[in-house]
Amino acid sequence: MVQRAGSADLPLHGGRVPPWLGDRMTKLGTIIAEAIVIEYGRDEFLRRLAHPFWFQSFGCVMGMDWHSSGITTSVIGALKRGLASRSRDLGISVCGGRGRHSRQTPDELIAIGNRVGFDGAGLAATSRLVAKVDSAAVQDGFDLYLHGFIVADDGKWVVVQQGMNGDKRQARRYHWFSEGVSSFVDSPHAAIEGKGQGEIVNLADKRAAASRNGQLDLLASLGPDRIVREVVALDPKGRSKKVDQPLLPHLVMPAHHDVREENVNMRRLHATLSAAADRGPEDFEQLLMVPGVGARTVNALAMVAEVVHGAPCRFADPARFSLAHGGKDRHPFPVPLKVYDHTIAVMRSAVTKARLGLGEELEALRRLDDQARQLERYATGPDLKEIVAGEFRRSAEWGGRSVFGFEKTEGPASEPKQLDPTYRRDGRRQTR
């Protein structure tokens, strides 16, 4: 997971995250971060952030547009707001952000360094160098506009930054991780996300060492003015030879807004829902007795559990995690606020008790994830269209909301407590 390089197409989306969603993203994102630190340690949370597939899934489970560039901005913003009050306990701080906030990163790092004892000035220099590499050494047609620097009290760090290509309406996200970086100009990236744009000049690739050394020799022997004259003489019409450069594996986030079955690993989705139906009555009996809380909340918790506990290979289809809490643009369905708030309440209770040494509720979430993996071999269920249609039918009663407003259909005021009848306890689909 640490050095998995790749790329993904992230369509540019306009607009802002509405406050009703941004506040919830801050709460849920912070709780998930704390759960990972409690279960696996601080270093593991940094590794997760450096993994582009997990990062996208993390944003999806929080209700952000499942495929858009906005996930980067919203996740960094949510973590910066949420971890600000928990940084002393967790030992993790988030600096930078979008636009003018990115330029404040060095000052923020120096201030944190003065407080906790690491070399803030040195990390400020690292921040500037990382931004310079992705804006100058990697010439791929994307102009940086976001720089997030997540740092631990021991000086380990992750950088997540993003550039845009306005003409193509696309974005590219770059992931850096201090673990394993020995040089900033010799294949330093943990990952790069973005659709191939044709020929790319990447002077930070280890294969470009000869080119970097040659450029320094030319600059020393000829000087900049003569270099320009020589280039014009060799190629007077400005033509350039095409150089083959193998493309790294990439995750393509499609431009279409709706979540389609081709974007989701249905076997894993059915296993998650089956696990919720199977473990829910046993592990969440008290939860199911709370007015308004039912099987739908357990479904969402099962997906949150996978974000906390899942192995890297399980995040190849980030769209699947959008089925936990929908999306602000009604794709795959409006955000079910009642379900979202119940998820936050359950996770907050589990994390709070775990801090006190009472880890039973976090352990129940782990069992949900374990059960989902076991059921993958034989779990079945409805197709994606049927699942999404069911969410729309009940959206109003679950407090469905999007940037277009609340859903307005009649229905009961709370979520039913019975389990989803679509699934049997053995994971197989039940006939109606």
Side-chain angles (χ1 to χ4, degrees):
M1 181 167 66
V2 181
Q3 291 292 332
R4 183 175 182 181
S7 62
D9 177 15
L10 302 171
L12 279 175
H13 279 204
R16 294 182 177 275
V17 180
W20 57 263
L21 178 59
D23 292 345
R24 288 175 169 87
M25 289 185 69
T26 296
K27 293 174 183 176
L28 183 58
T30 304
I31 294 167
I32 290 175
E34 188 164 0
I36 293 172
V37 171
I38 290 173
E39 292 284 292
Y40 300 104
R42 195 168 55 190
D43 290 354
E44 177 61 20
F45 180 61
L46 295 180
R47 293 188 188 100
R48 301 281 183 95
L49 292 174
H51 190 300
F53 295 84
W54 183 89
F55 190 98
Q56 196 78 11
S57 302
F58 185 38
C60 286
V61 87
M62 290 195 287
M64 188 56 190
D65 300 333
W66 67 280
H67 66 150
S68 82
S69 59
I71 274 186
T72 311
T73 306
S74 60
V75 168
I76 293 297
L79 290 178
K80 185 171 186 178
R81 293 188 300 270
L83 293 179
S85 62
R86 302 288 300 134
S87 60
R88 294 181 184 273
D89 295 326
L90 297 180
I92 298 175
S93 302
V94 181
C95 306
R98 180 172 179 168
R100 63 181 177 84
H101 298 290
S102 67
R103 296 186 289 275
Q104 297 170 359
T105 306
D107 292 338
E108 292 174 338
L109 286 170
I110 291 173
I112 296 170
N114 290 336
R115 175 172 61 84
V116 304
F118 61 60
D119 183 5
L123 287 182
T126 296
S127 169
R128 295 188 185 98
L129 184 56
V130 167
K132 184 64 68 175
V133 169
D134 282 339
S135 61
V138 179
Q139 300 171 31
D140 54 3
F142 292 82
D143 297 324
L144 292 185
Y145 67 95
L146 179 147
H147 176 88
F149 199 111
I150 302 93
V151 61
D153 284 356
D154 60 2
K156 294 179 181 177
W157 51 265
V158 168
V159 169
V160 178
Q161 54 190 10
Q162 188 157 285
M164 72 165 68
N165 185 320
D167 293 337
K168 296 182 179 294
R169 300 293 302 163
Q170 292 173 348
R172 173 162 292 165
R173 189 169 70 232
Y174 308 84
H175 293 249
W176 293 66
F177 186 26
S178 59
E179 184 176 286
V181 172
S182 58
S183 169
F184 285 99
V185 292
D186 195 8
S187 297
H189 298 93
I192 300 175
E193 292 201 3
K195 187 177 182 180
Q197 302 293 315
E199 187 172 330
I200 297 173
V201 179
N202 183 0
L203 296 177
D205 192 285
K206 64 181 180 181
R207 294 166 293 184
S211 176
R212 293 194 298 268
N213 294 333
Q215 289 176 51
L216 292 175
D217 292 342
L218 283 173
L219 186 60
S221 60
L222 300 180
D225 293 337
R226 188 176 174 189
I227 288 175
V228 172
R229 291 197 298 271
E230 293 291 340
V231 170
V232 172
L234 290 172
D235 196 1
K237 294 184 179 181
R239 297 185 302 268
S240 60
K241 296 180 181 179
K242 186 173 182 179
V243 180
D244 292 330
Q245 179 172 319
L247 294 177
L248 296 169
H250 59 275
L251 167 68
V252 176
M253 300 304 290
H256 59 78
H257 291 277
D258 56 315
V259 177
R260 302 173 184 175
E261 197 154 305
E262 66 200 52
N263 307 129
V264 175
N265 185 324
M266 293 301 296
R267 177 171 52 86
R268 286 182 177 162
L269 176 60
H270 290 150
T272 298
L273 299 178
S274 298
D278 190 32
R279 298 297 321 180
E282 183 175 343
D283 285 343
F284 298 97
E285 180 179 0
Q286 293 183 343
L287 170 67
L288 294 171
M289 296 300 293
V290 176
V293 176
R296 178 60 180 84
T297 298
V298 181
N299 289 347
L301 285 169
M303 294 183 194
V304 171
E306 187 170 353
V307 169
V308 174
H309 297 292
C313 63
R314 301 186 63 83
F315 300 103
D317 58 334
R320 176 163 52 94
F321 296 89
S322 68
L323 293 163
H325 298 119
K328 70 176 180 64
D329 58 358
R330 298 181 89 237
H331 297 292
F333 45 79
V335 178
L337 296 186
K338 293 179 182 178
V339 173
Y340 204 137
D341 289 343
H342 290 143
T343 301
I344 292 172
V346 174
M347 290 298 298
R348 179 183 287 125
S349 172
V351 167
T352 300
K353 291 178 181 177
R355 285 194 221 120
L356 301 174
L358 305 173
E360 292 83 0
E361 292 182 11
L362 275 184
E363 183 59 30
L365 291 171
R366 183 196 293 272
R367 286 195 294 271
L368 260 183
D369 184 58
D370 290 342
Q371 183 80 342
R373 301 184 201 192
Q374 295 175 20
L375 292 173
E376 277 188 28
R377 291 172 293 176
Y378 54 84
T380 62
D383 61 26
L384 185 63
K385 289 183 178 179
E386 186 177 347
I387 293 172
V388 171
E391 290 286 339
F392 270 99
R393 282 194 301 269
R394 309 191 62 178
S395 183
E397 68 177 277
W398 289 337
R401 189 175 185 180
S402 68
V403 293
F404 308 105
F406 283 99
E407 297 298 298
K408 297 179 180 179
T409 57
E410 294 183 0
S414 63
E415 181 187 348
K417 299 182 183 64
Q418 70 271 17
L419 291 174
D420 185 345
T422 304
Y423 294 92
R424 292 167 35 143
R425 287 176 60 81
D426 61 3
R428 291 178 293 177
R429 189 174 181 183
Q430 182 172 310
T431 57
R432 302 190 180 205

